[in-house]
Amino acid sequence: MALPLIEIRDLRKVYALDGVEIQALRGIDLTVEEGELIAIMGPSGSGKSTLMNILGCLDVADAGTYLLRGEDVTRMSPDQLARQRNREIGFVFQSFNLLPRTSALENVETPLVYAGVGRQERHARAREALERMGLGERLMHLPNQLSGGQQQRVAIARALLTRPAILLADEPTGIEDTATTEEILGVLEALNRERLTVVLITHEPDVAQRARRVLT
């Protein structure tokens, strides 16, 4: 039997704020199989973003285990975490995090710059990713020349460029109108039908209902 993509057991995270301990995560158990589309819901302050940061190897837990493809992430060094993050994880955020004075094409190819990939291959892969997102005619547009939905599709294209095993989407529809929300959810669902694993963090019940499994 294949290993789960993600297996978390008794995960705990505590923050100190003004001398007071804040329990962000208390004994979280979670299993994610390859190819799932999962929504994680909860009110503000419930630990959703903390969990997302740990899933994405941006932060580490204080206790518990996190296995990614069977490897224990909780025992990795910062350099190992960075390699795991670059190899396995794609991130999409509510605020897009695009470079404002940089074209869509250059924004998308940024991860490959840090990976040391040559200019010609970077351009080719970034162009392919943008065309896949329906943005083949917007390659040289700056972010402020794109709609909110188009900017988010640029961000998704960038997240997919390293061919990750899992896409983590933190409130990707949180600041958009209904039409744009539908557009972005449609893109995520299409990617999931291609067997990409998607974990979506949201506070919106109608968005969560589009997932195959909802965790609260």
Side-chain angles (χ1 to χ4, degrees), residues 56-214:
C57 300
L58 294 168
D59 199 359
V60 292
D62 294 322
T65 58
Y66 169 20
L67 304 181
L68 179 58
R69 289 193 188 277
E71 292 189 66
D72 191 349
V73 173
T74 51
R75 298 180 182 274
M76 290 183 180
S77 69
D79 285 346
Q80 289 174 316
L81 284 172
R83 284 194 295 271
Q84 193 81 333
R85 187 167 62 242
N86 293 337
R87 186 173 66 240
E88 301 283 10
I89 311 293
F91 296 94
V92 180
F93 301 100
Q94 175 178 338
S95 57
F96 316 137
N97 289 359
L98 299 178
L99 300 171
R101 296 181 181 85
T102 302
S103 70
L105 185 72
E106 291 169 316
N107 263 289
V108 170
E109 68 180 19
T110 301
L112 297 184
V113 174
Y114 294 117
V117 176
R119 180 182 177 85
Q120 190 169 353
E121 183 181 347
R122 290 200 313 265
H123 274 15
R125 285 172 59 179
R127 177 186 293 271
E128 179 185 357
L130 284 165
E131 288 174 347
R132 185 182 181 189
M133 291 292 108
L135 294 170
E137 297 180 356
R138 299 284 189 271
L139 302 179
M140 304 314 297
H141 284 58
L142 299 177
N144 66 6
Q145 297 171 320
L146 301 171
S147 70
Q150 288 171 335
Q151 289 184 61
Q152 191 61 290
R153 279 188 279 153
V154 171
I156 292 171
R158 181 181 57 191
L160 297 176
L161 205 62
T162 57
R163 300 172 182 137
I166 182 169
L167 184 67
L168 300 179
D170 192 358
E171 300 279 6
T173 64
I175 58 175
E176 298 302 332
D177 56 40
T178 302
T180 303
T181 293
E182 188 66 28
E183 175 186 343
I184 298 306
L185 289 175
V187 169
L188 296 177
E189 288 172 332
L191 292 169
N192 179 247
R193 286 194 294 272
E194 297 173 13
R195 299 295 295 165
L196 178 67
T197 305
V198 179
V199 176
L200 170 68
I201 284 189
T202 183
H203 66 276
E204 301 174 85
D206 55 332
V207 172
Q209 286 172 5
R210 301 285 285 273
R212 299 184 185 180
R213 183 155 62 107
V214 179

Side-chain angles (χ1 to χ4, degrees), residues 39-48 171 201-204 208 214-216:
I40 298 176
M41 289 194 71
S44 179
S46 62
K48 300 189 303 299
E171 300 279 6
I201 284 189
T202 183
H203 66 276
E204 301 174 85
V214 179
L215 307 175
T216 304

Side-chain angles (χ1 to χ4, degrees), residues 17-35:
L17 183 64
D18 296 331
V20 178
E21 285 194 348
I22 307 296
Q23 296 275 349
L25 299 175
R26 306 185 190 195
I28 299 293
D29 294 329
L30 173 64
T31 300
V32 179
E33 302 292 345
E34 200 148 2

